[in-house]
Amino acid sequence: MEVRARAPGKIILVGEHAVVHGSTAVAAAIDLYTYVTLGFPTPSDNDDTLKLNLKDVDLEFCWPVGRIKEVLPDLGSHTTSSPSSCSLETIKAIASLVEEQNIPEAKIGLASGVSTFLWLYTSIHGYKPAKAVVNSELPLGSGLGSSAAFCVALSAALLALSDSVTLDFSHQGWQMFEDSELELVNKWAFEGEKIIHGKPSGIDNTVSTYGNIIKFKSGELTRIKTNMPLKMLITNTKVWRNTKALVAGVSERTIRHPKAMDSIFSAVDSISSELASIIQSPVTDDLAITEKEEKLEELMEMNQGLLQCMGVSHASIETVLRSTLKYKLSSKLTGAGGGGCVLTLLPNLLSGTVVDKVIAELESCGFQCYIAGIGGRGMEISFSGSS
């Protein structure tokens, strides 16, 4: 029996940075996925190892299960139905297992993800031999939730072959978990995200688990559904940014200009609330969709202007804004800013020729482009082989 799980990436539609200061933000799943395939060897395979294959970066790791048990003697006794956090001592022990694999220096940034794999796998399945294969449509470190999608897809695959969830193994194609099982996946994925990021908000893994769109404010998450088709051009500027420094910069500006920044955050809160209202309201025809798209474009432009006021734009982002504006398209940064990715709303009636021209111009600048549907399904799984 082999299971394959997929989990979507995410974008922040509106509200980034301001959300740290009490404003509403809106995040959405995108139909770019991370996939995890998991299978156990048969007794005739005579294989007593745990393998992890990261296909996109051409790396494979292999640990004898006896070595894992030696380094992590207490992990195999966890209760799958009630996730707990990974202790600092355990993280250090797992790090020693990862170091034994001699990850190339150029790819050392993947070490925390490999550690997360070892912890999640051993916590849920103990010391059983297995092979996991990971591949993704999401660029790493670009603000599209690649680490959360990895944690969600991995948690789903692990739980699917455990006793904690009830699934139809004969079902053909992708299937979804029940709500209570999705909640369990989300909890495990959040614990995995903690290993990678330290103090994640939980937004990325929640969007990846449940899909659709999430509105969040002051730690409270509300799942909402869009009633209109939304498509975005996502442009990856490939400019690395320091998220912590960007967040700190906004906070410092808030200390220097409290009244002005409070007004900015209040405006962002209104933009986020209005956008959420627009995408939830019913649509009757193409004209209604067009009218909504025009409003969304204006809200995106307003939010981008306010993000510029916060000081988190970048020359690469401005290049994307100028390029898309030539074609009367509206864009904004998504996530931390300072580089990273930019969203451009693609109206329902926009011709493919125009889209091709925009993409060609952006790619000529060295950027990478993706077209993605917004607010779609969350994590799903499929099975192959015989039990």
Side-chain angles (χ1 to χ4, degrees), residues 246-263:
L246 288 159
V247 171
V250 175
S251 295
E252 288 164 9
R253 190 169 287 205
T254 303
I255 292 169
R256 290 194 299 272
H257 312 285
K259 288 186 178 179
M261 291 297 282
D262 281 350
S263 296

Side-chain angles (χ1 to χ4, degrees), residues 2 39 46 54 66-67 84 127 155 165 189 199 202 216 244 256-257 265 268 272 278 287 291 304 313 336 365 374:
E2 188 175 78
N46 198 27
L54 303 178
R67 174 63 180 151
S84 57
Y127 311 107
S155 299
V165 298
K199 294 182 178 180
F216 51 101
K244 287 183 180 177
R256 290 194 299 272
H257 312 285
F265 299 144
V268 172
S272 297
I278 290 170
L287 180 60
E291 289 174 353
Q304 175 60 29
S313 193
C365 298
I374 305 302

Side-chain angles (χ1 to χ4, degrees), residues 33-52:
Y33 295 90
T34 291
Y35 299 84
V36 173
T37 303
L38 178 70
F40 300 126
T42 62
S44 61
D45 292 330
N46 198 27
D47 186 349
D48 217 20
T49 61
L50 176 62
K51 296 185 178 72
L52 171 64

Side-chain angles (χ1 to χ4, degrees), residues 38-41 46-52 61-76 97 100-101 117-118 121-123 125-132:
L38 178 70
F40 300 126
N46 198 27
D47 186 349
D48 217 20
T49 61
L50 176 62
K51 296 185 178 72
L52 171 64
F61 307 95
C62 182
W63 300 269
V65 292
R67 174 63 180 151
I68 296 174
K69 189 171 185 179
E70 176 187 327
V71 176
L72 305 170
D74 301 321
L75 266 196
L97 287 171
E100 292 171 3
Q101 298 293 307
F117 165 77
L118 280 170
Y121 182 86
T122 311
S123 296
H125 280 289
Y127 311 107
K128 291 170 67 173
K131 181 176 182 179

Side-chain angles (χ1 to χ4, degrees), residues 197-251:
H197 293 298
K199 294 182 178 180
S201 65
I203 293 163
D204 287 14
N205 52 277
T206 302
V207 173
S208 188
T209 300
Y210 294 98
N212 297 314
I213 295 174
I214 286 180
K215 183 170 70 170
F216 51 101
K217 181 176 183 176
S218 303
E220 290 188 15
L221 306 184
T222 306
R223 290 162 55 194
I224 61 179
K225 287 187 177 182
T226 175
N227 282 310
M228 61 182 290
L230 276 178
K231 191 175 285 187
M232 293 278 181
L233 175 64
I234 302 173
T235 303
N236 181 9
T237 65
K238 301 183 184 176
V239 174
W240 184 86
R241 70 271 185 276
N242 185 326
T243 300
K244 287 183 180 177
L246 288 159
V247 171
V250 175
S251 295

